[in-house]
Every structure is written in structure tokens, then in C-alpha cells.
Amino acid sequence: MIPGLKRLIPIVILLTVPVVGCHSLSKQNKAVTFWAMGQEGKHLETLLVKFARLHPEIPVKIQRIPWSSAHEKLLTAFAGQSTPDICQLGNTWIAEFESMGALTPLDSFVLGSPVVRSSNFFSGIWQTNVIHKKLYGIPWYVDTRVLFYRKDLLAKVGYRNPPTTWREWAEVSKRIKRASPPNEGNFANYFPLAHNNPYVPVILIMENEGRFLKKNKCYGAFEDPNTVKALQFYVDFFKNGWAPKNMSRVSNIYQGFQAGFFSMFISGPWDINEIRERVPSLRNKWGTAPMPKGKKSVSVAGGASLVIFKSSKRKSEAWKVIEFLSRSETQTDFFKLTRDLPAVRKAWSDSSILSDPQIRAFREQLETVQPTPKLAEWEQIASKMQEYLEKVIYGRMTLKQAVIDLDRDVDRILEKRRWLLSQNLLPE
Amino acid sequence: MKKTYQIAYIFLAPALLTLTVFFFLPVLAALGMSFTDFDIYSIGNLARTRFVFLQNYQHLLHDPLFWKSLLNTAYFVLVAGPLTIFVSLFTAMALQSSLLRFKSFFRLAFFLPVITNLVAIAVVWRYLYHPRFGLLNYILALFHCGPIDWLGNPHWAMPALILLATWKNFGYFMMIYIAGLQTIPGELYEASSLDGANWWRQQWHVTVPLLAPTTLLVTIMTVVGYLQFFAEPYIMTQGGPLNATLSVVLYLYDQGFRWWKMGYSASIAFVLFSVVFLAAVLQLYLGKRREAWG
Amino acid sequence: MIRNTAKSLLLHLCLFVAAAFTLIPFLWMLSASFMKNGEATLFPPHFVPTHISFQQYAILFHELNMGRYFLNSTILALGVTGGSLLVNAMAGFAFAKFTFPGKRPVFTLLLTSMIIPGQITMLPVFLLLNKLGLLNTYWGIILPGLASIFGIFLIRQYVSTIPDSLLEAAYMDGGSSFLIFWKIIMPLAKPVLITLALFTFMGTWNDFLWPLIVMTKDSMYTLPVGLAGLLGEHAQDTELMMAGSVITIIPIILIFLFLQKYYVQGILVGSIKE
């Protein structure tokens, strides 16, 4: 044996053995892994203290994921077979993960459950979780988007109440813009232009009864006249200088809202808390209102559901956690922590929800919410739409051309779906 | 030397094995993947994959976004490259000056951006570029210019990233130039200063020609590196506004790891590789030709 | 004489302005990281915190997983550095001091592959690591990082300059190649090993794209990935992000200050043309 080689052997072994060793070790923890996003992740610990008392045998390990990269992270985790047991999933994503075969159907769990019954939940929201007649998620909280507005700034231009129709909305925007000093660069509204944040145009299309897709969701339908009209209305906000083109100018929307850089924006219930915490000086100066009406007042059926991944080894323990989170008293506690609106009807009777004036608009809006199309490619299609709208807003393209190009791109994105359907490789 | 070459193979084995498993085979696998439509549907079920041969590449040719990303990358390389080279050459010359004190301080100051992490840097720069509170616009305002919406304006976003990349990288090439300058014999300068040439003319007639080989190397390094421009737009602008900062690598990342169109993404990677390869070969060829012409 | 003084003044002035350009972002980062929430976004800008506050650092370590990210980055950087030193040194030694069939073609292949963009291999390596169950483990970063063509090249350049006579003498005494490698080559190549270690350590520490893809669990994030994640979630909290940045770059700056000499040498060796 060569003396030098002897010294090398342990090193080589050291380099190769732990590959196997450390991997098997990590499998031994018994905790239910739970991924949650943004502020829900922040407050989940507090919420689950009671659960730990009830079920000390089921430890729960929470991981927070930033919303901005949540979609990528989840897909990567799925491709890498490192998905958690339970996950908070935006209910627009459920179809996508279902089509990949990533989710566990929950019907059998619901059958035996004393807590989770479909009749306890808002039916429109429950339906967003049903795909091909199977249930894949339990609604956790509901949200939708409404108009946030500065009462004092609207009053300044003669509007005691928030705008209720598209026409009023445009009018009040015009007046605010006119009233602001020209070099201040103030705007009336703020709409995010980030490609992963397409909800404003989506809501406007719904309000105008426009279509996104046609023929069994196999082709784009953005050339639909109602859709084009809604998009025109949206684009005009930018063209008229009633909304800023550049996101970077509004690196902090709360400061912008406080400074009067814009007086109206469209967002979800989480921002009620954020505004209260970050800019307390605005107290009583702002309010929320249902979406101004197009053909009707509609908003998007948002919110998140709890899903169990197919690869989970602890499905029954995971279900216990979901059951706990679906109790009406837990839902009420959750609301107090996050201002996320309960998905369980009964929880709404709690006085803290009823008495909150800024929640009222959401309650009204929830009566008329619509889900976005349920298909795997939806995120990508919505992101494409934003991309083209941005071009129109910057004057690089007419809207007419944009929807033609958009439909062509959407058709291309859906080519795989058409093929899968034709080969019966997708259940539909 | 002993002629037992089997031992050489033992020494080579770990490195070649690693490179084969994690580099050479994956390159071939990626080539294969680029002929399929491997995507999100394929992950759960391989039956949902088709062999499409060159279709991905055909799509690329008709994909306006891909062309946009290629143009953006070319813009970045052609502006940031020469700028970086110029700044690094200039600072190297200044640091070599016999009049200079505090040499090591300056060297460290110029080198700090090179060794720090881009994500950390991006945090500060995003802020320096802020249209309302940013330091840059604050300085511009002192000169009664601006304000410029650096990252929010499609015309300024790329220049902003070019400025950032130059700031971050010039120190590295400056070091290489300093090494090159140290090989130039001092007599040459003495000879030319006896001829009455001033400092600028000396630099132009002595330094620049003698540094040609170094410049060739630096050029290849910047071009190959800058063609793979990714982290700056990913963190600072996400490719926006209006896709003005969408680079080829960012596009391939989006297609591959955001939408999981793995096959398509692989074809982008190969086109990128061809571009890098051609650029490197072309520069070597031009460099050789210049040498031949003397 | 006077002309020289004027020249020298001008030169120093220019360089100080340039140095200000490179240093101000760092000073601003440091200063803002000690500010309370919202102070950095005041207008006109505050350059110095009114009260030094460690609030941001406390948040990073208590509420956000910064300590864990730091640990991950350290483990990975050390692991990759240690492993790759050995692997690359062995290969570099073989290329420098042995003749064997296939030497030239293999070496040429390695040199030409240096220009293959790493992004090509990302997808297949990701799928491969997935098959091996190595995603979200340290090995997912360490194994692919064990061999680097640049490292092999660097070490080969240096080891070639070690005179053969030294090795011949050792062979005469009946030493094996392994003994020679360990007892003679490694100690003599210490400067280049330190250089390569430095390069690898910094490269791994600062790497962003690959850990972003391999590590999907929060508990496995490295500092840059964790920081980018915070940027997504806490974009509004400028001061917090600045503190995170400071923590990310301080170790690298310290290491560099101590080992500057070797780093510069590395650049020089690497830039000598074949």
C-alpha cells in the first residue's frame, strides 16, 4: 500500500459517503411542513399555538415564502419533489397544480369531517377549488379587490362619496389631476404594471362582461369587443396622466398614498392593516368602496386555499391542521391578526368584523366575485397580457394591434393544451 | 519523470468524473432536451412530451421577445464592454503614475465593488436610482438637471444597468492592466520623453500598443462575461420596463424556471452558446490578424 | 517642478473623485443600516443616522432567518473550497508533471469548454440532482462545484514552474507519486492554493443563480438568495435591506483585506496567455 494513497482514501470517502448519509437523516423529522406566504406566514405561528395545545403529537413547521417568488418556488419544489405537506395556494393557481398532478383530492377527507362542510363556506369561493368534479383545496380566507381612496382628497375636488361608476371614476380622476400643481407629478390612481400583478385589467374585463378565452379555453379571446372596451378604459388612465407609468416612482405605495402622490388604488384586505400600521397619520382620511361599476360591479374571486400535496407522507396529520384552521373561531382569530377575510360564513358574525368600516366594502363585493379561468397556463397568459398593455401604455403599439398579437401569443401558449386534449392526456 | 502514466489517470479521475457528470453530460442532455417540448405537463407524466426536433429553434426565430433580448444583450455588451475597458485602462495608468501616493488605498477602493455580492449592491443602487429620494437625482438637481426616472423609464433603464455593471467590474480588469503595465520596460518611456513627447502622447504611442495582448484578453473576458448578463436585470428591473432590460439569460431563466418550458429554454441556451462561441473565435481571429500586421 | 506639483494635485483629485464614486454606495449602505424605519427615505437625504440604532440587525436575526442563511453560506463556501482545492490540485498536478496518452486533446477540450455558458447545464443538472435526491442539500452545490476548469488551469500553470529535479530526487528515494504530491507539490504550491481558495470561496459566497434554483427551502437559503427573497417581501423597508446587505458583504471584505496579495496574484496568473 502506498503511504500517500492511504492519506487520500479517507478524504475521498469523506467526500462521497455523506451524500447518502445526510439525505436519509432529513427524512426523519415528523413535523407537518406548511408553506405560507407573506403576512399569513408571519401570523401563522401565533394562530397555531392553540393547535399545539390540542395536538401536541403533531408538530407543524412553518415556512414563509415571499409572494413575489412564490409561484416559481412552488414549481421548483414540485419539479424537485420537495413540496411541503400543506401549502397556502392562491386559488387562481389550483388548476395549474392540479393539472400537473401535484395535489391530493380532498373529497374523502371532507366526507368524514365534522368541521369542514361545503355549506359552511361561501359557495363561489368553494367552487374555485373544484376541478373536474373533485375538490382539491379548502378555502382558507377569501379576498377580492376593491377601491381604496383618500376621502379628504376626493372631497377637495367635490366628491363626498367614492365613485360608483366608470364614468364617475374617470371624472374624479380628471379633477384630481387638474387640481394638482403641474410640477408635483401627482396622479389620481396607482395601478401596478409589474408583469406578475395583472389584476386591475382582469377585473375591468370582468366588469364589462368581456372574455379571456374561447373554445374550451383553447384559444385567446382578447379581441372580444367587450374586452377591448375594458382595456381601452384602463389604458386611458395612463394616457390621460391619471395613473403613473413607472412603478419605480412608487417604491413605497403607503408613502405615496400618504403624500397624495395618488388618491386611489385597487387592492385587497391585507392593505387595510398595512396602511394602519405604516401611515397612522392618515387615520379617518381614507376609505374603501366596491369596484366602480362597468356593466356591473364585479371583482376577482381571490383568496387562498389550503391544499395537501400528493407527495405528502402525513396526509391525515395535515388534514387535522386544515380542520383546525377551518373552525369558525380560528377563522375569527385569523381575521383579527391579518385582516384576511374568513372563508367560513359563521365567522363573519363576529362583531370585530361587522364593526370595521373598512371591511364593509369587501363584504359587499364578495357577493359578486368571479374566478379567473381555471387552467394551468393562466398565470402565463395574464403576464403576457400585462406585457402588451405596457406596450400600449407607453405608446409603442395601438390597443387594436396589441389584442391581435396577444391572441396569437395566447394561442401559441395553449398549443400544448390543445394537443393534450386531443390525445386525451388531460381529464376534461 | 516516471513513465507510469496510469497514475496520472488516478490523479485526473476525480476532476474528470465531476466535470463529466455535472458538465459534459448535462451539456449533451440539454441539447437533447432542446429537441423536445419538455414542460410543466411533462414533469408529472413523461407521456406528455413530444419530440419536436428543430421546432423550438424555429419558434425562437419568430419570437419577437427573443430578438428583443438578443438586441438588449448586444446593446449591453457593446456599450458596457468598451466603457469598462476604457475605465479600467485609465485607472490602471493613473495608479501606475510615479507621482501617486496612497496607492493601496485607491486600489482597494476600486476593487471593493468587484468582490461584493451583486444582490447586496443592488439594494443600494436601487436606492441611489430612486427618482424621488435617490442620491443620483439629488446630485443632478444640484446641477439643475433631472430628475431622471432611472429604472422606470425604458430609455434610461439599460444605461442605468450599464453604469452599475461598469462600476462593479472595472476594478477586476484594472488589476489585469496593472499586471500588463508592469511588464513594459521603463526605458521606452525615457526614450520617448527625450523626444519631447508629453504624457498623453507617451501613453498613446507606447503604452496602448504594448498593451494590445492584454487588451485582447480583457476584451474576450468582458464580452464572454457580459453576454451572460443576468443578475442585474433580475434583481433591479425584472427585465422591465417594456422589456427594455430583458437579457438572453434572463429570458432563458423565465422560460425555464418560471414557466417550466424546459425544452424551449434549452434551445435558447444553445443559441446563446453559439453566440458566445462565435464572439470569442472572432476576437481571437481579429487579434491574431492584428499581430500579423504588426 | 511646479508643473509636477500641479499634475500630481490634479491626478490625486481625479482619483479621489473616482474613489468617492466606488465608496459612497458602501458608506451609504452602512449608514442606512443603522437608521430607524423610514429615516433613509426622507427627503432631502439623511446621510448620517440621527441615532445609531441596531433595530434592523435585531429584526434580521430574530425575526428573519439571517443567522441560518449566514451559516449556510459559510458551510457551502468552505465545503466547495476544501473539496475543489484537492480535486483541482490533483488534476493540475497530472497535467503539469505527467505525460500520458490523450493529454493534449483532453486539455484542449477543457480549455475550449471554458466558454460554454453555465446556464446551459442548469436544467439537466437540476433534474439530475433531483433524481439523486440532492436538491435542498449542501451536496447539491458542493458536488457540481468540486472541479473547475479555471482552477485546474491555474494550478497547472504554477506547478509547471516547480523544477523536475526536485521531484526526481524524491522518486530516487523511492517515494510514490502520491507521497510526492502530498509532501512536495502541495506545500510548494501553497501560494497558488491560497489564491484558488480565495477565488472559490468568494465565488461560492457571492453566487446567486445556482443556489436560487437548488435551494427551495427557506432553511437552506444562502445569504444572497435570502436577501433577494427579502427584497421581494420587504422592498418597502429600505433600512432593513441595507442591514442585510452589510451582513452579506462584511465577511468577504475582511477576507479580502487579509489576503489581498494572493488574490491579485491569481488575477495575474490567470491572465497570462498560453
Side-chain angles (χ1 to χ4, degrees), chain A residues 184-287:
Chain A
E184 281 283 294
N186 283 357
F187 293 86
N189 303 272
Y190 165 67
F191 303 136
L193 279 175
H195 289 185
N196 58 3
N197 219 345
Y199 57 86
V200 178
V202 167
I203 294 172
L204 294 179
I205 291 171
M206 288 176 174
E207 288 206 296
N208 208 36
E209 295 174 351
R211 290 189 302 166
F212 302 100
L213 303 169
K214 63 190 178 196
K215 295 182 193 164
N216 190 15
K217 292 178 288 198
C218 285
Y219 292 91
F222 286 90
E223 287 162 85
D224 178 293
N226 286 343
T227 305
V228 174
K229 218 167 152 187
L231 291 176
Q232 188 62 57
F233 178 68
Y234 172 71
V235 167
D236 285 344
F237 274 99
F238 296 90
K239 295 258 174 186
N240 295 326
W242 304 338
K245 281 180 199 166
N246 300 330
M247 319 156 24
S248 64
R249 300 208 61 157
V250 199
S251 73
N252 181 330
I253 62 166
Y254 309 104
Q255 268 181 346
F257 196 50
Q258 183 185 24
F261 183 55
F262 50 88
S263 317
M264 293 177 275
F265 66 105
I266 298 202
S267 190
W270 58 88
D271 268 339
I272 294 178
N273 255 16
E274 293 282 344
I275 294 172
R276 285 176 187 173
E277 274 174 28
R278 285 170 185 271
V279 281
S281 59
L282 276 187
R283 260 190 76 177
N284 303 329
K285 288 187 185 162
W286 62 280

Side-chain angles (χ1 to χ4, degrees), chain B:
Chain B
M1 239 16 265
K2 272 189 146 180
K3 292 290 171 283
T4 47
Y5 55 76
Q6 288 85 346
I7 294 182
Y9 292 143
I10 296 175
F11 274 102
L12 279 176
L16 289 187
L17 190 72
T18 311
L19 285 172
T20 307
V21 173
F22 291 109
F23 188 73
F24 293 116
L25 290 178
V27 168
L28 294 177
L31 186 61
M33 212 191 268
S34 74
F35 300 136
T36 69
D37 71 345
F38 195 92
D39 65 0
I40 188 97
Y41 290 110
S42 314
I43 294 169
N45 176 359
L46 269 180
R48 297 173 175 177
T49 317
R50 284 172 291 179
F51 179 78
V52 296
F53 197 40
L54 293 176
Q55 210 178 341
N56 284 327
Y57 293 91
Q58 269 168 342
H59 272 201
L60 263 191
L61 290 180
H62 299 289
D63 181 348
L65 261 191
F66 171 70
W67 286 108
K68 175 100 187 156
S69 72
L70 207 57
L71 270 175
N72 288 338
T73 308
Y75 173 18
F76 180 78
V77 170
L78 292 176
V79 179
L83 191 67
T84 307
I85 293 168
F86 183 77
V87 174
S88 56
L89 176 60
F90 204 78
T91 44
M93 286 175 181
L95 283 183
Q96 280 305 91
S97 163
S98 53
L99 299 168
L100 190 69
R101 307 273 165 84
F102 323 114
K103 264 185 193 156
S104 54
F105 161 75
F106 284 122
R107 214 161 61 175
L108 181 69
F110 296 150
F111 208 70
L112 262 191
V114 174
I115 54 168
T116 45
N117 177 313
L118 191 90
V119 183
I121 299 283
V123 172
V124 184
W125 276 77
R126 251 174 41 155
Y127 202 74
L128 294 175
Y129 280 143
H130 193 283
R132 281 201 159 191
F133 318 106
L135 199 58
L136 270 172
N137 280 350
Y138 185 73
I139 294 168
L140 283 180
L142 297 179
F143 294 98
H144 301 288
C145 314
I148 294 175
D149 186 356
W150 290 94
L151 298 172
N153 180 321
H155 298 293
W156 285 104
M158 192 57 111
L161 294 189
I162 287 171
L163 189 64
L164 167 65
T166 305
W167 176 89
K168 182 161 178 4
N169 298 316
F170 84 92
Y172 188 81
F173 301 108
M174 175 188 83
M175 290 286 190
I176 296 178
Y177 269 125
I178 288 175
L181 283 167
Q182 282 166 349
T183 61
I184 297 175
E187 301 87 78
L188 288 174
Y189 293 110
E190 278 156 34
S192 67
S193 65
L194 286 179
D195 293 343
N198 64 14
W199 187 84
W200 291 106
R201 288 196 49 178
Q202 277 186 22
Q203 298 302 336
W204 184 245
H205 288 289
V206 180
T207 317
V208 173
L210 284 173
L211 280 180
T214 314
T215 303
L216 177 66
L217 176 87
V218 168
T219 313
I220 291 180
M221 285 171 88
T222 42
V223 169
V224 169
Y226 280 179
L227 277 170
Q228 297 172 46
F229 167 58
F230 163 80
E232 290 92 342
Y234 177 85
I235 300 163
M236 303 282 283
T237 55
Q238 288 86 49
L242 268 188
N243 293 323
T245 55
L246 182 75
S247 74
V248 175
V249 177
L250 183 57
Y251 189 48
L252 108 86
Y253 174 86
D254 268 352
Q255 291 295 319
F257 289 94
R258 202 163 147 217
W259 310 124
W260 290 89
K261 297 186 157 183
M262 293 253 191
Y264 196 57
S265 179
S267 68
I268 299 172
F270 272 89
V271 174
L272 175 69
F273 168 58
S274 326
V275 172
V276 171
F277 187 79
L278 284 176
V281 168
L282 184 74
Q283 288 175 77
L284 276 172
Y285 170 75
L286 288 176
K288 287 267 188 301
R289 261 195 43 182
R290 274 202 46 182
E291 275 171 37
W293 286 88

Side-chain angles (χ1 to χ4, degrees), chain C residues 79-91:
Chain C
V80 173
T81 305
S84 70
L85 270 193
L86 183 71
V87 170
N88 292 328
M90 285 167 71

Side-chain angles (χ1 to χ4, degrees), chain C:
Chain C
M1 201 61 235
I2 288 177
R3 272 191 47 203
N4 257 359
T5 323
K7 257 194 208 166
S8 152
L9 267 178
L10 185 68
L11 179 73
H12 282 88
L13 191 70
C14 284
L15 282 177
F16 269 115
V17 170
F21 258 100
T22 55
L23 292 178
I24 279 177
F26 291 103
L27 296 173
W28 167 239
M29 185 194 294
L30 196 65
S31 161
S33 74
F34 291 115
M35 291 180 183
K36 282 206 155 50
N37 277 346
E39 193 182 343
T41 46
L42 293 171
F43 197 81
H46 273 212
F47 294 112
V48 181
T50 34
H51 301 286
I52 298 259
S53 122
F54 289 90
Q55 174 195 1
Q56 309 300 345
Y57 291 95
I59 294 174
L60 282 178
F61 283 99
H62 289 300
E63 296 175 28
L64 308 162
N65 239 340
M66 210 67 178
R68 177 76 209 203
Y69 303 158
F70 198 95
L71 182 75
N72 291 338
S73 274
T74 311
I75 291 176
L76 284 172
L78 289 175
V80 173
T81 305
S84 70
L85 270 193
L86 183 71
V87 170
N88 292 328
M90 285 167 71
F93 171 55
F95 277 122
K97 292 292 174 198
F98 286 88
T99 39
F100 52 89
K103 179 173 166 177
R104 264 210 88 78
V106 172
F107 197 69
T108 317
L109 174 72
L110 289 188
L111 274 184
T112 44
S113 340
M114 267 178 103
I115 60 157
I116 297 180
Q119 295 86 13
I120 287 193
T121 60
M122 273 187 336
L123 298 162
V125 172
F126 174 84
L127 295 172
L128 173 72
L129 290 174
N130 174 22
K131 276 271 175 291
L132 298 171
L134 294 181
L135 291 180
N136 282 315
T137 66
Y138 294 127
W139 292 105
I141 307 262
I142 293 175
L143 284 180
L146 279 183
S148 89
I149 299 175
F150 169 77
I152 295 172
F153 176 67
L154 196 70
I155 286 175
R156 175 191 164 260
Q157 290 293 85
Y158 194 91
V159 172
S160 305
T161 62
I162 296 173
D164 283 355
S165 52
L166 273 179
L167 310 186
E168 296 291 354
Y171 274 118
M172 288 299 193
D173 298 342
S176 74
S177 298
F178 295 98
L179 192 71
I180 287 168
F181 171 72
W182 198 248
K183 291 270 183 191
I184 298 177
I185 301 283
M186 289 298 258
L188 283 176
K190 199 168 148 190
V192 79
L193 290 177
I194 295 180
T195 301
L196 181 60
L198 201 57
F199 267 87
T200 316
F201 189 92
M202 288 188 182
T204 314
W205 185 276
N206 288 339
D207 192 15
F208 172 63
L209 182 53
W210 187 235
L212 177 77
I213 289 166
V214 175
M215 303 301 195
T216 52
K217 285 191 178 138
D218 174 65
S219 60
M220 295 301 291
Y221 284 0
T222 60
L223 278 171
V225 176
L227 196 61
L230 292 182
L231 201 59
E233 206 169 352
H234 294 272
Q236 321 268 8
D237 306 319
T238 309
E239 301 79 8
L240 185 73
M241 297 306 309
M242 297 283 188
S245 302
V246 170
I247 291 169
T248 309
I249 64 177
I250 287 270
I252 289 289
I253 290 180
L254 288 178
I255 291 173
F256 181 75
L257 283 178
F258 282 111
L259 300 170
Q260 253 193 94
K261 188 177 88 190
Y262 293 101
Y263 193 91
V264 175
Q265 263 179 357
I267 293 185
L268 307 191
V269 174
S271 63
I272 292 166
K273 267 178 58 185
E274 266 285 85

